DNA sequence: CTAAACCTTGACGTTAACGTCAGAGTCAAA
DNA sequence: TTTGACTCTGACGTTAACGTCAAGGTTTAG
C-alpha cells in the first residue's frame, strides 16, 4: 500500500510516517517512481511506535527495541547489554511517570469532586 | 527567602522559578532592590506545580487550579464551570496516558524478561 | 489522454519549558 | 569598605515530533 493508505489505517499523518522512515523506524520498499510501498504488518508497527512514543521513549530507543517485537506478537530478548540497560532505565522512568500521573490525577479528582455537588451554581 | 534558597529547597532552577512567576504561577513580593521574596508555602506550591507539569498540564491550566489548592492541603471547588469542564477533560486525558504508559511498560517488561535469563551472553 | 487525486523532496515553522549568557546592580559578612 | 556570592532583566538557544507549505512528478479511473 502507499503512504496515504497506511495513514488512513493508522491515523498517523503522512508527514509523520515519512518522519518515522527518516528516523529508521519504518523501511518501506520503493517503486521505480520513488513511491513508498508499505505492507500490512506496518500497520501494527506504526501502532507500536505510537504507543512507545506516547510513553516518552525517543525514536533512537524505539529504533532499537522494534526488532525485538516481531509482527506476530512474539517478544525477543534485547540484542545487546547496553540496550538492556537502557530498557531498564526507561522502565523505571515509566514507573515514576505513572506514579506522578496518578498523583496529579488524584489532585484533579479531589477538586472535581469538591465541585460536583455544586453543579448548579449562581456565580461564574 | 530569595530565589536561590527556594531553588535549593525545591530542586527547581532559578530560571524555572522566574518562568513560573512570569506564567503567573508564583507571586513573590519584591524588595525595593527588585529582589524576589518568597515564603515557606512557596516550597509546596512549586512541588505541586511540578507534579502537574509532569502530568502534562500546561501552565495556563495550572494557573487556574492552583487557587483551588490551599497551602494547608485543603481542596476547594473549581471557580467556574468552564474550568470544571477543563479539569474533567484533563482527568480523562490523564487516565488515557496512564493506560498508554502501562501498555508501553508491559512491552518493555516483556523484552527485559526475555533477556534476563541470558545475562551472561557471548554475543553483542 | 486527461484530470483528479495521489506522491515526491526540501525547507522552514511550531510548541513548551526551560538553558545559557551578558551586563549590571545588591547583599552581607569580615 | 571590600569582595564574593547573589540577584536582576533581557534575549537568544534548545529539543522532539511533527505541521505546513511549494514545486513538481505519478497513478489510474473513465
Amino acid at each position: 500500500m502507499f503512504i496515504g493508505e497506511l495513514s488512513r489505517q493508522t491515523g498517523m499523518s503522512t508527514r509523520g510516517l515519512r518522519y518515522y522512515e527518516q528516523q529508521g523506524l519504518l523501511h518501506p520498499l520503493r517503486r521505480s517512481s520513488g513511491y513508498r510501498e508499505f505492507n500490512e504488518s506496518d500497520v501494527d508497527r506504526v501502532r507500536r511506535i505510537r504507543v512507545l512514543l506516547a510513553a516518552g521513549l525517543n525514536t533512537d530507543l524505539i529504533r532499537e527495541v522494534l526488532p525485538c517485537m516481531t509482527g506476530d506478537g512474539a517478544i525477543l530478548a534485547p540484542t545487546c547489554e547496553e540496550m538492556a540497560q537502557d530498557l531498564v532505565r526507561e522502565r523505571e522512568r515509566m514507573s515514576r511517570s505513572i506514579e506522578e500521573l496518578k498523583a496529579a490525577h488524584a489532585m484533579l479528582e479531589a477538586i472535581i469532586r469538591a465541585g460536583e455537588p455544586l453543579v448548579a451554581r449562581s456565580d461564574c
Side-chain angles (χ1 to χ4, degrees), chain A:
Chain A
M1 73 184 83
F2 292 153
I3 197 169
E5 181 61 23
L6 181 61
S7 170
R8 253 158 286 164
Q9 291 194 29
T10 60
M12 190 62 199
S13 67
T14 59
R15 176 66 176 89
L17 295 175
R18 292 193 188 98
Y19 174 74
Y20 290 169
E21 185 198 17
Q22 188 189 340
Q23 296 297 306
L25 308 183
L26 294 175
H27 305 286
L29 300 176
R30 294 298 187 119
R31 284 201 169 180
S32 57
S33 65
Y35 278 32
R36 293 169 179 81
E37 235 171 345
F38 299 90
N39 55 48
E40 301 299 330
S41 71
D42 286 323
V43 176
D44 276 341
R45 192 175 175 90
V46 169
R47 294 209 176 114
R48 280 195 293 271
I49 292 170
R50 300 190 77 180
V51 166
L52 294 174
L53 273 179
L57 274 75
N58 58 25
T59 54
D60 289 347
L61 191 51
I62 295 176
R63 177 173 47 251
E64 291 182 358
V65 305
L66 278 181
C68 295
M69 311 167 72
T70 63
D72 53 9
I75 294 292
L76 306 177
T79 53
C80 80
E81 182 58 29
E82 185 190 352
M83 173 186 161
Q85 291 174 6
D86 288 348
L87 291 187
V88 169
R89 260 191 294 274
E90 282 301 316
R91 182 187 55 176
E92 287 165 0
R93 195 189 51 71
M94 281 185 196
S95 296
R96 281 196 301 275
S97 280
I98 290 174
E99 292 312 308
E100 286 172 350
L101 267 171
K102 283 182 178 173
H105 188 276
M107 285 184 185
L108 291 203
E109 187 81 3
I111 297 176
I112 290 170
R113 276 194 188 158
E116 268 182 348
L118 308 173
V119 168
R121 291 160 66 101
S122 53
D123 56 343
C124 170

